Amino acid sequence: MEPRSLIDMTLVSGAIEPSVNAAIAASSDNNANNNAVPAQAVKRKKAMTSLYLKYFQTASDGKTRSCKFCKQSYSIATATGNLGRHLNNRHPGYDQIGAEVGPNTTIANAASGRSQSHTHSISKPQSPIQAKPQIDLDLVNWFLLKFLINACLPFSTLEDECFINSYKFLDPTAKIWPRKQAETVMLQVFQTMQEDIRALLQNVSSKISLTLDFWTSCEELLYMSVTSHWIDDTWHMHKVLLDICHIAYPCSGPKILYALTQVISSFDLDARIVSCTTNNSQQAGHACQLLMEQMDSQKRPLFYIPCGAHALKMILEGGLVHLKPILSKIREFVIEMNSNCDVLEDFKQMVALYQEGPLKFPIDTSATWNGDFTMLNLVRKAPNAVDNTMKKHEETIPGCSLTLSPSEYSAINILHQFLDQFYKTTTNLCTTKVRTVGLVLFFIDHIVELITSCRDECCQDWFKTLADDMCDRARGFTGQVYNGFTFMCAILDPMIKRELVPDVLNSDKNLEEARGYYVREYTKNNHFMVIPSNGFVGAHESGCSSGIENTDAVSFAEEIARKRRRSSISLTKDELSQYLAEPPAPMTTDALDWWRANSARFPRLSIMARDLLAVQSTSVEPDELFTSRGEDLLKRRYCLPFADVRPILCVNSWMQSGYRFRLGSAEIDFDRLVEVGVGRRG
């Protein structure tokens, strides 16, 4: 739907003032010539822009209007926004004169007259005074709304005295939207954009996968976000947040299921979802199991995928238990160093003296996996610089002994070498564009082998205990995720196929299950030869009738049709066999690019690949779990009150994904608003 040039303000239930409408109209001026505007909207536009029209004289023929200051003529159809820009650019200060402007009046004369009337004591001639450019407060309110969305700030910010005074400092007449008005506008924007998402999903032809994420706010309320993922016909992955739901205390599987089914039904996805990936919590897993049972009863298969990133984080937490006290010491030192120039300068000198490093500053001190490994890496790369700087500045943090003991250095060296492979794995997951199920299982399998190998080689008892705990956590995940469905998803990654699938998963039983699913779901709707009940194809439609009823002819046609059907099914099976018979693609291959280039070779199998490669191996972006980005996201979510969580976080996500900021039938183009605002200020 193309946005209209003006907004039907009844959608906002009278919450927006006419001056605000003018700002929205200005942002839509560029669409005025391409969209038919209803008569009622035209009347509103004239009423809203009469501030400009009073400075223009309409010709007697009604076809043009001219500026009262300079006589420049414009067509009667010229957008009032352009007239406003003419006044700002050619006649700054026009709005200080008043409505009555004579034919010979000029801005300079009027301003000069006012200045002279107030400067009788000054003998020196005064130059004409230009009016100070005015701030367009309507546009300010729209940008203020966008600021709250981008920063994920609550609407109570609009009631903060310091915040209000900051705007009054810019202009004493500043009038910020009241909180209730801003909330009403925001709710309408949320509803409009969610309806756009709903309409978008109706045109998706492939299967859709869901991911669930959970977090708790400052009010100790639990929320669940539901996100959809799919691959389009051009083999591009899409991701869009559907909704955010509050899960009432105490959280349980049935409560999560109820909220999830409400979202699925509201977007009409019941027949199109193929999988659901969660954060591995017991309640979320229970909800997915209940949903699978519901779908099975309706003959709609649905599959549950535990999150590989959460599983890897849980394994890493087991590996860092022994290092927690040591990491706390190092982090205390680095935080002080990042904030104290003297300590930092001493440390850099020590690094240069001992020729250690290289290091990147400032050093990450976030309480995440990346931050923890950075602490280990710092001591590993610059042990002398760390030790000497710690000793020199130990008294900087009273009551805390920062110096590391020989046994602590030994533990750091052992675990740094061991955890380095984990760091490379998480870095790869965070930077990989398409994290297929096969790729994540490949990495998890590598981690399990690494833990087992290092456990057998190390003679330290504490390390063996630590490795056993990590192995138990890894096996708990693989026990959930290894099944026939994940095998299907894994082998459709051209880099993985059967060669790199974990041995426990790579069974003939799973392969046959994959073949059965493929034939059942992706070959039954093929375009086979249709045999009419009267005999040969086309005889009835052409109007030709031989008058001969020959049952042998009908049987012969049916025999041909059966052969065609058997041949087609055989060909579909051969597509899978041919695909698996070819060697895997290099590990640098983009799975979607590969299928885009090879879909013509595997026309039926590629449809299955498009559906199953959209199945998410992680419920969140890995960098939200392993890097400081997760801390930033948590802080933004944490501070929002109940009434603001849903509209602000949803609209924020949609805007970041590139969807249009819309209210009613009009698009709010913030880039255009900037141009209008600059033009109005001259």
Side-chain angles (χ1 to χ4, degrees):
M1 180 188 299
E2 290 294 329
R4 291 172 10 204
S5 60
L6 291 173
I7 289 181
D8 184 357
M9 299 318 299
T10 60
L11 293 173
V12 202
S13 304
I16 302 181
E17 299 174 356
S19 60
V20 181
N21 295 343
I24 304 173
S27 72
S28 304
D29 281 344
N30 57 333
N31 295 327
N33 295 328
N34 299 324
N35 298 279
V37 183
Q40 184 179 3
V42 173
K43 290 180 181 179
R44 276 198 300 274
K45 184 172 182 180
K46 289 182 178 179
M48 290 186 289
T49 55
S50 60
L51 174 65
Y52 301 142
L53 294 181
K54 64 185 179 182
Y55 297 102
F56 288 82
Q57 180 70 41
T58 303
S60 58
D61 59 1
K63 296 182 180 180
T64 62
R65 56 167 62 98
S66 59
C67 175
K68 293 181 179 180
F69 297 119
C70 64
K71 298 299 183 180
Q72 181 169 337
S73 179
Y74 289 89
S75 168
I76 198 71
T78 300
T80 52
N82 292 333
L83 301 181
R85 281 189 286 277
H86 167 85
L87 292 172
N88 279 295
N89 294 333
R90 300 286 296 275
H91 312 293
Y94 70 92
D95 54 339
Q96 303 297 322
I97 299 174
E100 298 299 325
V101 182
N104 300 320
T105 305
T106 65
I107 293 294
N109 291 337
S112 178
R114 286 199 308 274
S115 64
Q116 292 173 4
S117 66
H118 293 284
T119 56
H120 297 296
S121 60
I122 302 176
S123 58
K124 184 178 180 179
Q126 300 296 307
S127 59
I129 300 175
Q130 290 188 350
K132 178 182 178 181
Q134 298 295 303
I135 299 174
D136 193 317
L137 302 180
D138 300 329
L139 302 188
V140 167
N141 277 296
W142 280 107
F143 280 105
L144 180 56
L145 185 64
K146 184 183 179 184
F147 166 70
L148 295 179
I149 295 169
N150 289 349
C152 294
L153 293 175
F155 285 107
S156 58
T157 305
L158 299 176
E159 298 175 335
D160 182 81
E161 185 176 355
C162 293
F163 189 82
I164 295 173
N165 289 339
S166 298
Y167 278 88
K168 287 186 176 180
F169 178 78
L170 296 175
D171 192 311
T173 64
K175 184 180 179 182
I176 299 175
W177 287 348
R179 175 179 176 177
K180 291 297 182 184
Q181 181 175 338
E183 288 176 341
T184 302
V185 174
M186 187 66 215
L187 181 60
Q188 294 294 335
V189 170
F190 163 77
Q191 292 172 344
T192 300
M193 295 185 70
Q194 191 176 57
E195 191 60 38
D196 290 344
I197 300 300
R198 186 177 289 109
L200 170 71
L201 290 172
Q202 294 304 311
N203 296 321
V204 175
S205 60
S206 57
K207 294 286 187 180
I208 294 175
S209 297
L210 301 181
T211 55
L212 310 182
D213 186 23
F214 298 84
W215 74 92
T216 303
S217 72
C218 60
E219 299 172 322
E220 296 188 357
L221 298 178
L222 179 66
Y223 294 95
M224 174 183 72
S225 63
V226 183
T227 305
S228 60
H229 308 258
W230 73 91
I231 299 172
D232 64 21
D233 295 340
T234 60
W235 291 93
H236 290 96
M237 182 76 77
H238 294 266
K239 169 186 175 182
V240 60
L241 176 66
L242 300 181
D243 211 339
I244 293 175
C245 313
H246 168 231
I247 308 298
Y249 179 85
C251 176
S252 65
K255 289 180 181 178
I256 294 175
L257 174 66
Y258 175 78
L260 179 58
T261 52
Q262 290 293 108
V263 175
I264 292 173
S265 298
S266 68
F267 285 88
D268 194 23
L269 300 179
D270 305 73
R272 293 188 289 161
I273 55 173
V274 66
S275 69
C276 186
T277 307
T278 75
N279 66 345
N280 305 354
S281 69
Q282 183 178 357
Q283 295 89 341
H286 183 206
C288 286
Q289 293 294 336
L290 295 174
L291 182 61
M292 289 170 61
E293 293 173 6
Q294 286 186 7
M295 292 296 184
D296 285 342
S297 65
Q298 302 171 17
K299 306 299 182 183
R300 296 171 177 171
L302 175 74
F303 301 94
Y304 161 59
I305 306 289
C307 175
H310 275 94
L312 190 53
K313 180 183 178 183
M314 182 179 63
I315 296 170
L316 286 168
E317 288 173 351
L320 293 172
V321 170
H322 186 77
L323 284 177
K324 284 299 180 183
I326 305 174
L327 290 172
S328 297
K329 276 188 179 183
I330 304 171
R331 186 172 277 109
E332 289 269 8
F333 165 70
V334 176
I335 290 174
E336 180 65 28
M337 183 173 67
N338 283 343
S339 60
N340 190 318
C341 295
D342 293 335
V343 178
L344 180 59
E345 187 60 32
D346 286 343
F347 179 74
K348 289 182 177 180
Q349 290 178 5
M350 292 291 181
V351 169
L353 177 64
Y354 290 101
Q355 297 182 346
E356 295 175 329
L359 300 170
K360 292 182 180 180
F361 298 94
I363 297 173
D364 179 17
T365 59
S366 62
T368 63
W369 156 243
N370 269 25
D372 289 340
F373 188 79
T374 301
M375 299 298 100
L376 299 179
N377 201 44
L378 175 68
V379 177
R380 178 72 172 179
K381 285 187 173 182
N384 294 303
V386 169
D387 186 59
N388 284 279
T389 310
M390 278 184 171
K391 289 177 179 178
K392 181 177 180 179
H393 295 277
E394 191 168 11
E395 295 181 358
T396 303
I397 305 177
C400 180
S401 177
L402 295 179
T403 307
L404 300 175
S405 66
S407 61
E408 289 175 330
Y409 275 111
S410 175
I412 289 174
N413 290 333
I414 293 173
L415 284 177
H416 179 274
Q417 184 177 2
F418 170 60
L419 295 174
D420 183 63
Q421 291 294 312
F422 286 81
Y423 181 74
K424 291 178 180 178
T425 298
T426 56
T427 300
N428 195 293
L429 286 177
C430 291
T431 55
T432 299
K433 185 172 69 172
V434 182
R435 290 175 297 275
T436 65
V437 171
L439 185 63
V440 171
L441 294 184
F442 168 74
F443 281 130
I444 294 292
D445 188 53
H446 168 68
I447 291 299
V448 173
E449 290 181 356
L450 175 67
I451 297 171
T452 304
S453 173
C454 290
R455 183 202 178 281
D456 295 338
E457 294 176 1
C458 186
C459 59
Q460 299 284 346
D461 291 337
W462 63 266
F463 183 84
K464 290 182 180 293
T465 302
L466 175 148
D468 287 338
D469 180 53
M470 295 177 74
C471 274
D472 291 341
R473 298 180 185 218
R475 292 192 188 99
F477 170 73
T478 57
Q480 286 185 312
V481 77
Y482 284 176
N483 54 55
F485 179 72
T486 53
F487 173 82
M488 283 189 284
C489 296
I491 63 175
L492 290 173
D493 185 334
M495 297 180 292
I496 304 298
K497 295 193 175 180
R498 292 195 69 179
E499 284 79 354
L500 297 181
V501 169
D503 292 337
V504 178
L505 188 61
N506 193 3
S507 66
D508 292 338
K509 177 184 176 182
N510 285 336
L511 179 59
E512 287 307 309
E513 184 177 338
R515 289 185 183 279
Y517 181 83
Y518 172 45
V519 172
R520 184 172 62 254
E521 299 293 330
Y522 295 93
T523 64
K524 60 184 179 183
N525 294 324
N526 291 329
H527 300 287
F528 297 124
M529 185 177 182
V530 179
I531 308 298
S533 58
N534 67 322
F536 293 103
V537 177
H540 210 63
E541 290 78 2
S542 64
C544 300
S545 176
S546 62
I548 301 174
E549 295 184 2
N550 191 331
T551 57
D552 291 338
V554 174
S555 299
F556 177 67
E558 179 63 25
E559 183 179 352
I560 295 175
R562 288 174 181 172
K563 287 181 179 180
R564 291 282 182 92
R565 294 189 184 104
R566 286 195 297 269
S567 174
S568 296
I569 293 175
S570 176
L571 286 174
T572 61
K573 289 184 178 180
D574 285 343
E575 278 189 24
L576 180 59
S577 299
Q578 179 185 347
Y579 165 76
L580 293 175
E582 297 177 0
M587 292 304 292
T588 55
T589 303
D590 183 297
L592 301 187
D593 288 344
W594 189 94
W595 276 104
R596 183 185 298 111
N598 290 274
S599 57
R601 296 174 52 216
F602 307 103
R604 296 178 179 87
L605 186 63
S606 63
I607 299 175
M608 179 177 172
R610 193 178 63 171
D611 288 343
L612 298 192
L613 288 178
V615 173
Q616 297 300 297
S617 56
T618 63
S619 61
V620 296
E621 296 293 326
D623 59 356
E624 294 178 12
L625 290 179
F626 301 125
T627 73
S628 58
R629 179 174 177 241
E631 286 189 337
D632 296 338
L633 179 61
L634 184 61
K635 291 174 184 176
R636 293 187 174 197
R637 290 172 167 177
Y638 183 78
C639 71
L640 290 174
F642 175 77
D644 300 345
V645 166
R646 192 179 181 216
I648 287 184
L649 292 182
C650 285
V651 173
N652 175 281
S653 175
W654 295 332
M655 291 181 67
Q656 288 185 1
S657 299
Y659 295 96
R660 296 177 178 179
F661 187 92
R662 299 207 320 125
L663 175 60
S665 56
E667 176 186 351
I668 313 301
D669 187 340
F670 286 99
D671 292 336
R672 175 65 175 154
L673 288 180
V674 171
E675 296 176 3
V676 171
V678 172
R680 289 182 179 179
R681 296 184 68 182

